[in-house]
Every structure is written in C-alpha cells, then in structure tokens.
C-alpha cells in the first residue's frame, strides 16, 4: 500500500493494528517505509503481530518432555526444544525478508508505503481503507 501523504500511511498503519486486534484481518508483520525521491528507503515503523514464538513453544515442550529424565533431562529438553523452535523462527524470518525484498519495489518514489504480511478474510476491508485514504494497494499471493 502506498500513499503520497505520509500521515495517511501512518493512520492506516494504526488502523491495521486495530483491525488485527478485532480479528478483521490476520496480520503477522507490518512495516512503514518512506521512499525518497532519490530512490533510497527509510524504515519508519514496524509491528510484529504474529502470535507464534516457536522458540519459546519448543523450549516449553522440550522442558515438559525432559521432566521424565530428571534435572538433566529438563535442561537437555529445554535447550533442544528451544533450538528446534528457533530454527523454525529463523526459517520464517528468512522467508519474510525475501518477501519484503520482492515487494518493496511497489513503493513509488516520494511516497510512504506499508508492507503487511498476513491474511485477509475479506478483501473489501483493505480495499475500503486504502481507497478512503487515497492510496494504492498491490497484493501478492505467496506462502510463508
């Protein structure tokens, strides 16, 4: 999503977090990016709204399984589970980074853009918000 007026972009950024909290969209990450006339980018704000922290979940599961092995089992299970969960978080992070690199070119010179990763339940929600604020919306359909 891109806007000529950066205040409208920040307003949409706030609205997206609100809509996510209300369950109208399911967003994982949102980033506000200003693109200068010379082509450079400035990352202005970001929100990680993902509800999964696989490293923590992995550590908790590993600790629970490790209880059967006594104190050493708890320590070993926690570390092993955390490492497995972290590798899943890193994989998701690399995939997200690649998506940002591919879509950042949609932000035109001299505009402020928002890249949001997640799922829409109804496209008309974002269509209406962006249209109301006078912005442009480009969608991609990629699996993370």
């Amino acid at each position: 999503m891109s806007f000529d007026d950066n205040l409208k972009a920040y307003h949409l950024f706030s609205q997206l977090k609100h809509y996510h909290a209300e369950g109208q969209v399911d967003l994982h990450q949102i980033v506000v990016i200003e693109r200068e006339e010379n082509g450079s980018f400035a990352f202005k704000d970001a929100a990680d709204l993902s509800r999964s922290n696989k490293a923590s979940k992995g550590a908790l599961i590993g600790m629970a399984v490790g209880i059967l092995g006594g104190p050493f089992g708890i320590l070993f299970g926690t570390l092993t589970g955390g490492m497995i969960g972290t590798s899943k978080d890193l994989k998701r992070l690399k995939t997200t980074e690649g998506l940002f690199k591919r879509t950042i070119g949609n932000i035109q010179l001299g505009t402020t853009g928002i890249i949001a990763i997640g799922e829409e339940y109804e496209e008309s929600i974002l269509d209406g918000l962006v249209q109301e604020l006078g912005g442009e919306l480009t969608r991609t359909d990629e699996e993370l």
Side-chain angles (χ1 to χ4, degrees):
M1 296 162 266
S2 60
F3 300 88
D4 292 331
D5 181 353
N6 67 353
L7 293 177
K8 291 180 180 181
Y10 286 106
H11 177 71
L12 180 64
F13 178 71
S14 177
Q15 284 294 108
L16 289 174
K17 291 188 289 184
H18 178 73
Y19 278 33
H20 173 80
E22 288 183 343
Q24 294 183 16
V25 293
D26 182 19
L27 300 175
H28 305 287
Q29 285 94 17
I30 313 169
V31 177
V32 178
I33 303 167
E34 289 183 9
R35 186 157 188 202
E36 304 297 328
E37 291 292 340
N38 66 7
S40 66
F41 294 95
F43 291 86
K44 294 298 186 176
D45 206 345
D48 184 355
L49 305 173
S50 61
R51 289 171 271 178
S52 68
N53 182 343
K54 291 183 176 52
S56 297
K57 287 181 181 177
L60 290 173
I61 291 168
M63 182 175 65
V65 171
I67 288 174
L68 301 173
F72 179 72
I74 293 172
L75 178 62
F76 182 74
T78 301
L79 292 174
T80 304
M83 287 172 44
I84 291 168
T86 298
S87 70
K88 290 180 181 179
D89 282 340
L90 288 174
K91 181 180 178 187
R92 182 177 61 93
L93 182 63
K94 285 186 179 274
T95 303
T96 301
E97 180 182 12
L99 178 61
F100 277 125
K101 286 180 180 177
R102 287 189 302 280
T103 59
I104 203 164
N106 291 329
I107 301 171
Q108 301 301 314
L109 297 175
T111 64
T112 301
I114 295 177
I115 297 176
I117 297 176
E119 295 180 42
E120 296 176 277
Y121 302 120
E122 179 60 44
E123 287 186 359
S124 64
I125 293 172
L126 288 182
D127 289 345
L129 280 172
V130 173
Q131 183 179 8
E132 177 183 316
L133 295 171
E136 293 184 31
L137 174 65
T138 305
R139 288 183 174 86
T140 62
D141 188 17
E142 298 194 36
E143 188 70 29
L144 291 181

